[in-house]
Amino acid sequence: MTALAGALASGGVQLVDLTRTLAPDDPTIVMPPEFGQSWPVRIERISRYDGTGPAWYWNNISFGEHTGTHFDAPVHWVTGRDLPRNSVDTMPLEPMLAPACVIDCTEACDKDADHLLTREAILDWEAQHGQIEPDCWVIMRSGWGDKTGAEYANLQADGAHTPGPDAEAIRFLVDDRNIQGFGTETIGTDWGQAGHLSPPYPAHHYLHGAGKYGLQCLTGLEALPPRGAMIFAAPLKIKAGSGSPLRVIALVPGGTD
């Protein structure tokens, strides 16, 4: 602990905020109209040093569990519904602090909003940076964290057009690399058109069926090296919660490749 405090004080370890500001104008995932919808962020003032509270300022807030920068627990998806300790209030503490491997796909995503991360691309990354270790986060950097409003959601007549992994890639990460979870800068861990893949929404299907986790709506990933950073991601302890907004902090050592 003393060594970590010293590294932080000396600048040997930098703290990086990977979290979008939770605000009413932040896009929320939109489901087909026949399904239930997630609430957008609502912030209602209770008082601000006035007649309803002369010495204090506070708000009531409401939002869906999967809003803003947020965490997915296994119980979020049908494949993980029967697993033990599968909700945010019962999950172990250890996964809340874990190393990260960051795969930079920004160039491909700039050219194609529908870019798919493939197994071959992951193997190419490993050839340069080393094999992905078990129990780490794999983060897909797409550049989406810099987008806002309609450009961020990128909804077209046929649904969202945002980058993500294909089914083979996510199954490889789960089965062959035993990752802890998968993170993205987009609204979900899946490709925008993932309902057309087999199985539909493979990131959710394979991750949560194996007891793994998801992180979405990350930002600031340009400050992270390909490997070497640690990510602290602690969801709110919601009773039987399927996920929650959270503050995601990266610890980035100096001099990492």
Side-chain angles (χ1 to χ4, degrees):
M1 185 62 70
T2 301
L4 176 58
L8 288 168
S10 68
V13 172
Q14 300 289 330
L15 295 180
V16 178
D17 190 355
L18 305 182
T19 316
R20 295 175 70 96
T21 299
L22 198 61
D25 59 353
D26 213 31
T28 302
I29 193 166
V30 177
M31 302 297 291
E34 64 269 24
F35 298 131
Q37 302 296 321
S38 178
W39 287 355
V41 176
R42 295 186 180 93
I43 303 175
E44 299 177 354
R45 183 178 300 173
I46 302 172
S47 68
R48 190 176 178 111
Y49 327 120
D50 52 26
T52 54
W56 52 90
Y57 163 55
W58 57 339
N59 301 300
N60 285 319
I61 57 173
S62 62
F63 43 76
E65 288 177 327
H66 300 266
T67 304
T69 301
H70 65 277
F71 187 97
D72 286 356
V75 74
H76 175 47
W77 209 250
V78 63
T79 51
R81 65 181 178 180
D82 295 323
L83 296 177
R85 303 186 71 179
N86 62 356
S87 56
V88 291
D89 60 322
T90 60
M91 66 176 287
L93 294 177
E94 288 79 8
M96 297 182 192
L97 180 63
C101 295
V102 181
I103 301 177
D104 188 352
C105 305
T106 52
E107 185 175 347
C109 295
D110 281 344
K111 297 175 182 176
D112 181 11
D114 291 316
H115 175 70
L116 276 165
L117 175 65
T118 64
R119 179 178 181 272
E120 288 73 23
I122 295 169
L123 291 173
D124 288 344
W125 184 92
E126 289 188 325
Q128 183 176 358
H129 301 290
Q131 184 168 309
I132 294 167
E133 306 95 334
D135 299 320
C136 72
W137 287 105
V138 171
I139 308 295
M140 180 179 177
R141 183 184 166 205
S142 61
W144 238 251
D146 297 328
K147 299 181 185 294
T148 58
E151 185 185 23
Y152 180 74
N154 202 23
L155 288 173
Q156 309 297 328
D158 58 346
H161 287 264
T162 53
D166 69 13
E168 184 184 21
I170 203 71
R171 188 167 188 178
F172 169 73
L173 290 173
V174 170
D175 292 347
D176 291 18
R177 294 298 181 260
N178 192 27
I179 63 170
Q180 169 176 281
F182 188 75
T184 64
E185 294 172 278
T186 53
I187 286 179
T189 50
D190 268 297
W191 186 51
Q193 293 286 299
H196 302 296
L197 297 178
S198 181
Y201 306 102
H204 286 77
H205 179 95
Y206 289 122
L207 284 170
H208 303 319
K212 311 298 185 181
Y213 308 102
L215 282 176
Q216 292 95 159
C217 304
L218 298 170
T219 191
L221 294 179
E222 66 277 2
L224 271 58
R227 63 189 315 144
M230 296 286 291
I231 287 182
F232 178 68
L236 298 174
K237 197 172 182 179
I238 300 168
K239 176 98 174 150
S242 70
S244 88
L246 75 173
R247 194 76 176 256
V248 182
I249 305 295
L251 287 76
V252 181
T256 306
D257 67 351

